[in-house]
Amino acid sequence: MKVNALLISALFVSSSIALWGVVDPHGLGSVSSRIVTIQFESRGWFIMLEASALLLLAIYLAVSKYGSIRIGPEGSEPEFSTTAWIAMLFAAGMGVGLLFFGVSEPLTHFSVIRDFSSDPEAARLAMFVTYLNWGFHAWAIYGVVALIVAYFAFRRERSLLLSAPLLDVYGEKTWTRGLAWLFDFLSVVAIAVGLAGSLAMGVFQIQTGLAGVLGIPNSPYLTAIIFAAMCVAFLIPLRRDLGEGMSKLSNLAMGIAISLLVFLLVAGPTSFVMNSIVSGFGRYVYNVIPAGFSTTEFFDQSISTWFQDWTLNYMIWWLAWSPFVGIFIARISRGRTIREFLAGVIIAPTLFSIFWFGVLGGVGFFDVLDGSGHLLEVNEMSLDATTFALLQQFPLKFITQIATITAAFLFVVTSVVSAGFTLAMIGTGGDENPSPSVRTIWGMVLGALGLAMILVNDVSLVRSIIALSAIAFVFIVPILVVCLLKSLSKEATK
């Protein structure tokens, strides 16, 4: 195992955060919440500006002369098939979040917006906000960061680290080495904390689902059993080949999710759902660019708080995950052109997200507008129970609930496996195939951090902790973008 100052420092800080969360979980959550609120109130405008700028940059790079540049030597071929590639990047990028928020998020937005408009208009706006939070902006953040890492790693033959662009463009100097080390260190902390939050939310949802299916109390003992099973499940693939383990798990998770989606569409109010998807997609595409510059500047505190808790939190969340997802996507994307890369990373997952939320959210709104409204009541009490409450309204509810639990479990496992692999790569100086022992150590650290998040036992506080870990990347990503543009411009003039 290659030991260095970065690896030791990152393990120490990550372990310390985990220890703090285990000893004083609510203290960790409340401190994070206060700091993040201050940052959102003072720099929310900059976060939205940056997210929108990254989307515009991705569009420009895809259609420009740079789009034909291959990520790697000329003539290189992709390592994975397009289908496996998209499944892997999608499972790593969002996964369990779709299952957790598929029904609950549109209904939550609806509950806020209906105080200011009619119910049908509130439903339309709620779906639009959900698409905005999970669509092009999210994947543009992932895509641009991933492109930067992949370009410098495979085209410029540097390492798979966030520090590589800085060192390549500005050279090995005292200030660049210091700043590069800080970039890599902060990326490790953001990856570890961000992934741990996702692990905790996965456990929350799996626990709620199992308790309902089996008819048993939703107790700490059940939490412990699920968490232990999850740790065993992700530690095993961490010791195996990346392609062999991740590809199979990702394909299985995506297969279950797609099957569930088709079932709900066919068995549910199909016409109502498809009408909402078609019209919602049109509104989203037409308004996505201007909406990305919205900051709720003239609204009261309740709307500002809602905006900060959701849209701003998501944008910073995607930035928190961008080192992890970016480095991982870069690792599996060698040989593709910039145009092909950006189209695959941004368009395909966004379309799936829109269809996913369109189906689950559409069924939820059918219940609210034309049904009993039971889902809205469940959602106000527990976000992680809403998806299962929806499934209970359909036939084969036992099978669909078990399928949802299984998919959530697999999505969390694939995320932890890919994060553990990425953390091991960073900690060993960019080694594309870090040793199983280093990957296992990071898997154990991620498990400890996940336990800390579980003990916090509050989704909003967990999201604040994730957001806090990503604040620095609001300023790091623009520097990386400058490095990419300078290098591309230099290559084009040759």
Side-chain angles (χ1 to χ4, degrees):
M1 181 174 66
K2 184 179 179 181
V3 178
N4 53 50
L6 176 63
L7 180 61
I8 295 173
S9 301
L11 285 171
F12 175 77
V13 171
S14 300
S15 301
S16 298
I17 295 172
L19 181 62
W20 182 9
V22 171
V23 174
D24 184 19
H26 292 289
L28 174 62
S30 61
V31 169
S32 300
S33 181
R34 287 196 297 271
I35 296 174
V36 168
T37 298
I38 293 172
Q39 295 296 321
F40 282 175
E41 289 177 350
S42 62
R43 297 182 177 87
W45 62 271
F46 186 75
I47 295 171
M48 295 304 298
L49 181 64
E50 182 173 329
S52 295
L54 291 174
L55 175 57
L56 293 174
L57 174 64
I59 295 172
Y60 165 71
L61 291 175
V63 301
S64 71
K65 60 183 179 181
Y66 303 123
S68 59
I69 294 176
R70 192 164 295 278
I71 303 173
E74 295 299 330
S76 57
E77 296 293 332
E79 179 180 358
F80 301 99
S81 68
T82 300
T83 302
W85 176 60
I86 291 176
M88 290 169 70
L89 68 88
F90 189 76
M94 291 182 177
V96 73
L98 293 176
L99 293 170
F100 191 97
F101 292 109
V103 189
S104 62
E105 182 171 339
L107 293 184
T108 301
H109 298 324
F110 173 82
S111 296
V112 174
I113 299 171
R114 73 187 309 190
D115 292 337
F116 304 89
S117 66
S118 65
D119 281 1
E121 184 61 22
R124 292 192 188 100
L125 290 173
M127 288 304 299
F128 177 81
V129 173
T130 304
Y131 291 162
L132 177 67
N133 293 344
W134 289 83
F136 290 122
H137 287 82
W139 286 97
I141 292 171
Y142 285 166
V144 171
V145 173
L147 174 62
I148 293 169
V149 175
Y151 173 82
F152 282 96
F154 302 132
R155 186 75 176 182
R156 301 289 300 163
E157 298 183 341
R158 306 290 296 201
S159 63
L160 278 165
L161 300 176
L162 290 189
S163 58
L166 189 69
L167 296 174
D168 184 78
V169 172
Y170 294 101
E172 296 274 354
K173 303 174 184 177
T174 302
W175 71 271
T176 57
R177 285 195 295 268
L179 197 58
W181 189 93
L182 183 63
F183 281 13
D184 290 336
F185 172 76
L186 290 173
S187 68
V188 169
V189 175
I191 292 169
V193 174
L195 192 281
S198 179
L199 192 159
M201 286 194 295
V203 169
F204 293 154
Q205 187 174 46
I206 293 168
Q207 173 182 328
T208 300
L210 271 180
V213 170
L214 301 178
I216 59 178
N218 199 338
S219 67
Y221 297 104
L222 181 59
T223 306
I225 293 172
I226 294 170
F227 177 70
M230 195 168 285
C231 289
V232 172
F234 66 66
L235 285 172
I236 293 174
L238 275 172
R239 300 194 62 84
R240 305 186 66 178
D241 176 70
L242 174 68
E244 178 184 357
M246 260 300 280
S247 181
K248 291 180 180 179
L249 292 176
S250 299
N251 288 335
L252 178 58
M254 285 300 298
I256 295 173
I258 292 172
S259 299
L260 181 67
L261 192 67
V262 172
F263 171 77
L264 292 175
L265 179 62
V266 173
T270 307
S271 180
F272 179 92
V273 169
M274 289 307 301
N275 278 327
S276 69
I277 291 175
V278 172
S279 58
F281 177 72
R283 278 191 298 272
Y284 173 65
V285 172
Y286 185 76
N287 295 290
V288 62
I289 299 297
F293 293 93
S294 299
T295 59
T296 67
E297 69 280 14
F298 300 125
F299 290 87
D300 61 22
Q301 187 59 44
S302 64
I303 294 296
S304 296
T305 300
W306 165 67
F307 174 70
Q308 291 174 13
D309 289 345
W310 289 94
T311 300
L312 267 185
N313 213 303
Y314 271 123
M315 296 306 158
I316 203 75
W317 195 349
W318 307 138
L319 283 167
W321 272 45
S322 66
F324 149 47
V325 179
I327 292 173
F328 181 77
I329 292 176
R331 168 63 179 80
I332 62 175
S333 301
R334 189 203 310 257
R336 301 183 185 275
T337 65
I338 289 179
R339 185 174 295 113
E340 178 188 7
F341 175 89
L342 290 173
V345 172
I346 297 175
I347 295 177
T350 295
L351 292 178
F352 184 86
S353 295
I354 287 174
F355 199 72
W356 178 271
F357 282 103
V359 172
L360 273 72
V363 174
F365 284 131
F366 183 82
D367 176 76
V368 171
L369 300 175
D370 298 320
S372 65
H374 173 65
L375 291 179
L376 201 59
E377 298 175 3
V378 173
N379 194 62
E380 291 174 353
M381 293 185 294
S382 174
L383 294 180
D384 41 288
T386 312
T387 298
F388 296 105
L390 179 144
L391 294 175
Q392 288 170 6
Q393 299 181 359
F394 284 78
L396 305 176
K397 59 184 179 181
F398 178 82
I399 295 175
T400 56
Q401 289 180 94
I402 291 297
T404 300
I405 292 168
T406 303
F409 188 90
L410 290 174
F411 275 133
V412 173
V413 169
T414 54
S415 294
V416 177
V417 170
S418 52
F421 194 95
T422 302
L423 289 167
M425 282 197 297
I426 299 173
T428 54
D431 183 359
E432 290 187 37
N433 294 290
S435 69
S437 59
V438 178
R439 303 201 301 258
T440 303
I441 290 172
W442 275 115
M444 295 169 65
V445 171
L446 290 172
L449 280 167
L451 176 61
M453 301 290 185
I454 291 169
L455 293 175
V456 170
N457 198 31
D458 186 318
V459 173
S460 62
L461 291 181
V462 168
R463 292 170 68 180
S464 294
I465 297 170
I466 296 172
L468 179 60
S469 72
I471 293 296
F473 284 93
V474 175
F475 308 101
I476 290 175
V477 171
I479 298 174
L480 298 178
V481 168
V482 170
C483 293
L484 174 66
L485 293 178
K486 286 177 69 70
S487 187
L488 286 174
S489 177
K490 185 177 179 180
E491 179 173 345
T493 59
K494 290 182 179 180

